[in-house]
Amino acid sequence: MTLSQLRAFALVARLGSLHAAAAALGVSEPAVSSALAALRRDLDDPLFVRAGGGIALTPGGRALADYAQEIVGLADHARWEVSHATTDAGLLRIVATAPFAEHAAGRLLDLFTKRVPGASVDVVVESAADIASLLLDRAYDIALGARAAQPGGAGGDVGLEMVPFLRYQRVFVVAGSHPLAGLHGPVPLARLLDRPWFAGPSGIQAETDEGRWLSSMGVAPEVIRLSSETDALAAVRAGEGLTLALGHIVRAELQTGVLVRVPVVGTPVSGLWWASTLDHGRTTSKARALQRFVTTSDATAAMVAPGGSRGLERRGSKVHVALWS
C-alpha cells in the first residue's frame, strides 16, 4: 500500500469516477486504474464496482475511504509544514466565503492578530460548496462564512467542528428614487423578478442561507455579479436595480433614505456565519484560538462596526488577503 495509491483511491471515492480522479491528479485514467488494481490486490478486496456510469464502494471500500482521506490529508499537511517551517511558521490558513471576506474579515483578523502573539493569517476566498472538501483535504486550517456542507451531500458534519458566530439579516434595497421604493408590504417576490438583481462576485450561492431561502421560494433569478457587494450597492444607489444587502451594512443609508427597503414576503432573510475546522483532535491550536475568538463580544463588535466594508486584494480568479501581526 503506497501513498500514491491511497491518494488515487481517495479521489475516486470522493469524485465517483476514475476519469474525474485522473483529471484531478493530472494523469491518465489507465495510471489511476493501475494504482487501484495494486491496492485491490494488496487488500484482497474489490473496493468498488462499476455502477450507473460511475462507481459504488464495497463495504471494504467505504471502510478504506475514510482512512485514505485522513492519511493523504496528514501527508499533505506534513509536507506543507516542512516546506514552510522557516518562512511561514505560525501561519494560519483561512478559507472564507466572499461576503464574509468583504464585510468582516479585515477588521476581525486585524484584531485577532493584535490579540494573539505571533499570529499571522492568510485568507483566500472560495465557493461555499467547496469549503468542507478543502478543510478535509487540509488545504486550510479554518473556514469562516457560510456553513460547510459535507462533500457529495453526505449527512451530518463528519470530521468537522462548526461553531456559529454571527447572525445576520439580508434585506432587499433600492435607491430612494427607484419605482420599487414606494411599494408597501408585503410585496410578492415575483414583483422583483423583472428588475436587475446585483450581487457580489459569488452571486447568491445555493449553499448559503439566502440561497436556500430563494430555493424555498421556488425562484432562480438572473443575478448580475459585480466585483464586490460594495460595487453592487453602488449600482443600486445609482437606480440601476436592487440587491439583497446585509442589514447592518445598509442601516445608516436606510435611516437617511438614500436606500429604501422593499418589504418582500419572507424578508428579512436570517442567516448565520460559521467558523469551521477539522475536529479538535486534528486541527491546529491557532485555528482553535480563532474559532473561540470569533464568538467573543469584541470580535462581534469589530465585524459589525460602522464604517463600510474593507475590500480584499483580487488575485486571479480568487480573492486573497494576507494580514500579519
Side-chain angles (χ1 to χ4, degrees), residues 93-115:
R93 301 165 300 158
I94 301 171
V95 61
T97 46
F100 171 82
E102 178 179 352
H103 296 296
R107 288 187 293 262
L108 172 72
L109 297 175
D110 275 347
L111 186 59
F112 176 71
T113 54
K114 290 173 183 174
R115 296 283 182 89

Side-chain angles (χ1 to χ4, degrees), residues 120-141:
S120 59
V121 301
D122 186 72
V123 186
V124 173
V125 172
E126 296 280 5
S127 167
D130 297 330
I131 285 178
S133 294
L134 290 166
L135 288 174
L136 292 169
D137 287 347
R138 295 181 180 268
Y140 298 96
D141 302 307

Side-chain angles (χ1 to χ4, degrees), residues 13-33:
R14 195 178 79 197
L15 300 177
S17 79
L18 274 68
H19 178 76
L25 289 168
V27 300
S28 67
E29 191 169 335
V32 172
S33 182

